[in-house]
Each structure stands twice: as structure tokens, then as C-alpha cells.
């Protein structure tokens, strides 16, 4: 009797109340996503409701049930488009990510006669599996909320600009005798800035998607850049736009907004420095990541991509996990290993000594330095003295201590494991969850 009653319990619990099931489904979907969707719906409806009594004479009947004014409806659809577009792009990213899985086949470097320690192989394999699961969790749990925030910010900006342009000034400034009109030109500037910045951001994101290089951080940086552009456009318009209603004012407002949108973060830096000068504060100094220029094979675009992952120094590049960079970007695994190899050598012995080793002994990175340290017992006296002189050490004991450290360094062994591994991409069957 008890066994036959148990299967009915879940059914009774589900049929106890429809609202409970709906609440459970919302919790599974995520309250952040639900709240963002509800805020977006309220924003679109409020935009139409605000414009309905103000503009538009034509009407549109939807299946004979609802009659809506054409112009307010089109403007409300315009406000809704950014969020819809971003949601489609997010589904594209999730679909592509769910259809591919990278695996590594680790092996020792037998051609060099130095087998890898078992501990280094285990550490490398564990870290690879951990970062793969971390990336999967980040995509599945964090991508849609980031996209929702960016879409809500874009839609809200467009909504406020549209309302600022079309609503009568008496409604916006009810307690002012002489109602101003300067806010219209500011709204046009911000609208032009927001539209230009959003279109350029969409183009960059689509290019990143084509190269399998779009992550949650991509949308977070895009939302940050978009917000900075909007703030810059509004501040610049408030400082420069005149209060006249001449056609030149409207043309200047739109042109200024497009220019700010094209400049992006640089416009915010220029406007913030100008505001700082007006207030007597020091201008902001942005670190361009010049320290990474010492890494051979790392170009300007690569530096910008690494800065997006919060890597702006040689030390940060040396100790970031290799799988994290691989799963967070479209960078080649061997290029990542090569950059880290060079960065590790610079961190261990200094940039000047690393440069001298490369110039005089063709030691390119930490792996080559470890191989050289392993030859210490069979090294000729002349070569040993040249190494001491090249490294500018006070005595031979310092060089021996360095070679001892390099020979047993676990970080270098881990890097060797990734360099010698074979990368393989597997196709995931739909409906089968990756392990």
C-alpha cells in the first residue's frame, strides 16, 4: 500500500496549486532574468502609454482586438529591439558552445629525454577539467543575465530619449514658468550616441561570435562601454549645445552624438578629463598595458584581449591558468603556452636577464631555461663562466641556486604538460550533457 501511494505524492504536489509550480519554474529560470524581463515589458508599455496621447494620428488594428496608434507603436518597438536582438545573439552563443567540447591528451616530452613528473600531469589534467566546467557554468548561468542587463540599459536609454524628444516640455517641467527646450537637443545627442554605440557594439560582438570569442565578460564590457558613451554624450551636450531652435542646433546635436559613439571609451576619457580640469581635479591616467610589449609575438590586439581578461602585466600573464585563457578566448593553445613561457622566465630572473639569455644563448622561455639547468652537471667550465657573466650574478652560487629552483619548478612542469598535449574538439550530441 505504501509503495503504491508514493508515486502519487509528486502528482498531488504539482496539482496542489498552479501558482506554486509557476514560482518553482521562475526560481529554476532565475529571478534576475525574470525581473529583467518584467522591467523590460513595463518599460515598453510605459513608453507607448506615454506617447499615445501626444503623437500619431494613424491607427493599426491587431486582429480586430486592439487598436493602437502607429507612430507610438513603432517607437515602442524601437525601444524593444535592443533587448530582443541581444537575446537572439545570446541564444546563438549558447547553441554554439553547447555543440563543442575540447579535450586534451597529455603525454610526456620523450624527445627531450625529460619525462614529466606525475604530479604535474595530474595537476594539468585537473585544472583543464575544472576550467572547462567553470566555463560551461559561466555560459549557462551568467550569459543571459549579462545580456538582459545590457538590453535593459539600451532600451531604457532609447525610451528616455524618445520621451524627452516628444513629450511636451510642460509635462517635464511643470513648476517652471518659462519652459526650456534645451533638453530636446540633449536628448537628440544622447539618442545619436546610444544608437551609434549600440550598432558598433553589435558589430564587434558578431565578429567575436564568428571567432568563438564571445563570453559573459564581452557583454559586461559592452554594457560598460555603452554606459560610458551615453554619459559622455549627455555631459558634452549639456556643456556645448545652445538653447536655440535653429536647424544648425539639431544638426550639431546629432553629429556630436555620432562622434561620441564612434570614439567610445576615448570620448569618456576626454570628457572626464575636461570635467576634472573644470573642477581642479587631476586627470585620469589609463594604463595601456605597455609591460606586455616585452612578450614576443603578442600584438596590440592580443594585448587588448588580455586586458579584457584583467591581464595587464607580465606577472599576471605568467600565472593565469592556461585553460582559463583558452576557454575564455579564441587564442591558440600553443600561443598561450608560448606567451606564458616567456612571461615566467621574466618573472623568475627579470626582464634584462631574460633578454640577455635570449640574445646570447637562444633561451626563449622558462622551459628552455629549465632544460639548460638540467645540463648543469655536464656543462663545460667555459660555458658556465659565460652564463655567470651574462646573468650578472655576484657569484656562481646565485646561478646554482637559480638552476636548482628551475629544475624542480612545478609551474614550468605544468606548462610543459600543456605544450606537449594533443588538443581535440569533440562534437556534442544534442540532448547529451557533457561531463
Amino acid at each position: 500500500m505504501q509503495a503504491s501511494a508514493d508515486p502519487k505524492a509528486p502528482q498531488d504536489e504539482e496539482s496542489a496549486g498552479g501558482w506554486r509550480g509557476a514560482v518553482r519554474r521562475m526560481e529554476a529560470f532565475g529571478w534576475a532574468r525574470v525581473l529583467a524581463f518584467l522591467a523590460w515589458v513595463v518599460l515598453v508599455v510605459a513608453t507607448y502609454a506615454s506617447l499615445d496621447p501626444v503623437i500619431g494620428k494613424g491607427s493599426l488594428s491587431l486582429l480586430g482586438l486592439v487598436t493602437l496608434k502607429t507612430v507610438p507603436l513603432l517607437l515602442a518597438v524601437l525601444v524593444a529591439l535592443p533587448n530582443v536582438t541581444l537575446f537572439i545573439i545570446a541564444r546563438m552563443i549558447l547553441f554554439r558552445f553547447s555543440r563543442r567540447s575540447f579535450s586534451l591528451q597529455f603525454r610526456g616530452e620523450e624527445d627531450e629525454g625529460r619525462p614529466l613528473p606525475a604530479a604535474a600531469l595530474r595537476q594539468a589534467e585537473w585544472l583543464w577539467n575544472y576550467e572547462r566546467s567553470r566555463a560551461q557554468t559561466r555560459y549557462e548561468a551568467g550569459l543571459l543575465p549579462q545580456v538582459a542587463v545590457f538590453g535593459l540599459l539600451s532600451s531604457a536609454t532609447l525610451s528616455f530619449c524618445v520621451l524627452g524628444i516628444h513629450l511636451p516640455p510642460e509635462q517635464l517641467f511643470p513648476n517652471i514658468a518659462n519652459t526650456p527646450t534645451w533638453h530636446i537637443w540633449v536628448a537628440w545627442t544622447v539618442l545619436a550616441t546610444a544608437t551609434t554605440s549600440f550598432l558598433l557594439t553589435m558589430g564587434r560582438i558578431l565578429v567575436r561570435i564568428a571567432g568563438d570569442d564571445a563570453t559573459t565578460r564581452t557583454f559586461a564590457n559592452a554594457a560598460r562601454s555603452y554606459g560610458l558613451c551615453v554619459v559622455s554624450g549627455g555631459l558634452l551636450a549639456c556643456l556645448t549645445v545652445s538653447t536655440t531652435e535653429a536647424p544648425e542646433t539639431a544638426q550639431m546635436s546629432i553629429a556630436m552624438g555620432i562622434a561620441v559613439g564612434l570614439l567610445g571609451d576615448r570620448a569618456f576619457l576626454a570628457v572626464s578629463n575636461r570635467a576634472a580640469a573644470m573642477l581642479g581635479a587631476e586627470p585620469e591616467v589609463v594604463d595601456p598595458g605597455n609591460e606586455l610589449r616585452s612578450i614576443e609575438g603578442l600584438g596590440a590586439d592580443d594585448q587588448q584581449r588580455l586586458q579584457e581578461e584583467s591581464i595587464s602585466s607580465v606577472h599576471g600573464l605568467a600565472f593565469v591558468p592556461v585553460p582559463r585563457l583558452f576557454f575564455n578566448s579564441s587564442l591558440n593553445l600553443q600561443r598561450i603556452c608560448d606567451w606564458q613561457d616567456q612571461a615566467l622566465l621574466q618573472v623568475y630572473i627579470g626582464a634584462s636577464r631574460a633578454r640577455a639569455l635570449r640574445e646570447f644563448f637562444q633561451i626563449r622561455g622558462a622551459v628552455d631555461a629549465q632544460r639548460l639547468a638540467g645540463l648543469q652537471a655536464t656543462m663545460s667550465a667555459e660555458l658556465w663562466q659565460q652564463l655567470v657573466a651574462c646573468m650578472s650574478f655576484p657569484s656562481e652560487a646565485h646561478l646554482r641556486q637559480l638552476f636548482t629552483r628551475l629544475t624542480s619548478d612545478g609551474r614550468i612542469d605544468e606548462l610543459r604538460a600543456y605544450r606537449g598535449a594533443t588538443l581535440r574538439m569533440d562534437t556534442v550530441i544534442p540532448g547529451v550533457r557533457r561531463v
Side-chain angles (χ1 to χ4, degrees):
M1 296 294 293
Q2 183 68 26
S4 60
D6 289 340
K8 298 180 180 180
Q11 299 177 1
D12 295 339
E13 184 179 354
E14 292 179 1
S15 60
W19 64 271
R20 293 182 179 179
V23 169
R24 284 195 296 269
R25 285 191 292 270
M26 289 183 182
E27 291 178 350
F29 186 72
W31 284 111
R33 304 178 190 178
V34 174
L35 293 177
F37 175 75
L38 293 178
W40 172 72
V41 171
V42 171
L43 181 67
V44 174
V45 174
T47 302
Y48 176 82
S50 301
L51 296 175
D52 183 26
V54 177
I55 61 174
K57 296 182 179 180
S59 60
L60 177 66
S61 178
L62 300 179
L63 302 178
L65 302 176
V66 181
T67 302
L68 302 174
K69 288 187 176 180
T70 306
V71 177
L73 178 62
L74 291 177
L75 292 177
V77 171
L78 175 65
V79 170
L81 275 180
N83 218 340
V84 176
T85 305
L86 287 169
F87 180 78
I88 295 174
I89 291 177
R91 298 308 304 179
M92 291 170 53
I93 297 175
L94 290 175
F95 178 82
R96 297 189 66 172
F97 184 80
S98 63
R99 294 298 185 269
R100 59 186 175 90
S101 176
F102 293 97
S103 59
L104 278 186
Q105 182 180 358
F106 294 95
R107 56 183 175 83
E109 299 184 44
E110 300 176 356
D111 55 332
E112 298 180 0
R114 296 180 301 116
L116 283 168
L121 288 174
R122 288 195 302 269
Q123 173 67 16
E125 186 174 4
W126 175 85
L127 192 59
W128 178 269
N129 294 329
Y130 168 76
E131 292 295 340
R132 181 173 58 185
S133 301
R134 183 175 181 267
Q136 179 180 350
T137 303
R138 185 180 64 252
Y139 270 98
E140 294 178 353
L143 183 62
L144 289 180
Q146 291 282 359
V147 169
V149 170
F150 184 22
L152 186 60
L153 176 63
S154 305
S155 296
T157 303
L158 294 181
S159 176
F160 293 151
C161 292
V162 169
L163 294 178
I165 293 171
H166 291 92
L167 291 183
E170 294 80 8
Q171 295 184 10
L172 298 177
F173 305 98
N175 298 324
I176 299 179
N178 298 324
T179 55
T181 59
W182 57 268
H183 66 281
I184 299 178
W185 314 119
V186 174
W188 273 112
T189 302
V190 176
L191 180 61
T193 300
T195 305
T196 304
S197 178
F198 184 80
L199 292 177
L200 292 178
T201 301
M202 285 297 96
R204 297 189 189 100
I205 291 177
L206 289 176
V207 172
R208 295 280 291 271
I209 293 176
D212 289 332
D213 195 20
T215 63
T216 55
R217 193 183 293 267
T218 302
F219 289 93
N221 288 332
R224 172 186 173 275
S225 178
Y226 180 84
L228 293 180
C229 286
V230 170
V231 172
S232 303
L235 178 58
L236 192 61
C238 291
L239 295 176
T240 58
V241 173
S242 63
T243 58
T244 61
E245 298 185 2
E248 293 78 7
T249 303
Q251 182 179 1
M252 183 181 67
S253 301
I254 297 176
M256 186 187 308
I258 295 176
V260 173
L262 290 175
L263 290 176
D265 291 354
R266 291 178 294 172
F268 175 79
L269 182 61
V271 173
S272 61
N273 288 339
R274 180 175 178 180
M278 293 175 58
L279 298 176
E282 295 182 358
E284 181 182 2
V285 179
V286 179
D287 182 16
N290 294 332
E291 187 180 347
L292 294 174
R293 293 181 179 178
S294 60
I295 304 298
E296 183 181 346
L298 204 156
D301 294 338
D302 299 322
Q303 293 180 28
Q304 185 177 2
R305 186 64 184 87
L306 291 177
Q307 285 184 343
E308 188 175 320
E309 298 296 328
S310 301
I311 301 174
S312 58
S313 64
V314 173
H315 187 277
L317 177 60
F319 291 101
V320 65
V322 173
R324 182 172 301 175
L325 270 185
F326 176 78
F327 286 113
N328 288 1
S329 66
S330 61
L331 296 172
N332 183 271
L333 180 62
Q334 295 304 318
R335 291 190 70 197
I336 297 175
C337 293
D338 178 56
W339 295 342
Q340 288 207 335
D341 188 23
Q342 300 178 55
L344 273 176
L345 185 61
Q346 291 189 25
V347 170
Y348 285 163
I349 68 175
S352 59
R353 290 192 177 102
R355 195 180 307 112
L357 279 180
R358 174 180 299 183
E359 182 177 353
F360 297 108
F361 294 95
Q362 289 72 51
I363 301 299
R364 196 167 186 273
V367 174
D368 292 338
Q370 187 187 60
R371 186 185 305 113
L372 179 64
L375 302 176
Q376 178 180 354
T378 60
M379 194 176 299
S380 63
E382 180 181 1
L383 179 58
W384 179 258
Q385 294 299 327
Q386 290 178 356
L387 279 173
V388 174
C390 175
M391 301 285 285
S392 301
F393 281 130
S395 65
E396 298 181 6
H398 294 81
L399 184 58
R400 291 193 182 94
Q401 174 65 24
L402 174 63
F403 278 2
T404 303
R405 166 68 188 279
L406 292 178
T407 303
S408 58
D409 188 83
R411 187 69 180 89
I412 300 178
D413 292 335
E414 180 185 328
L415 185 59
R416 288 172 54 203
Y418 290 121
R419 284 184 49 172
T422 302
L423 180 64
R424 186 181 65 183
M425 185 176 70
D426 303 322
T427 302
V428 179
I429 301 176
V432 178
R433 185 178 179 85
R434 288 175 295 169
V435 182

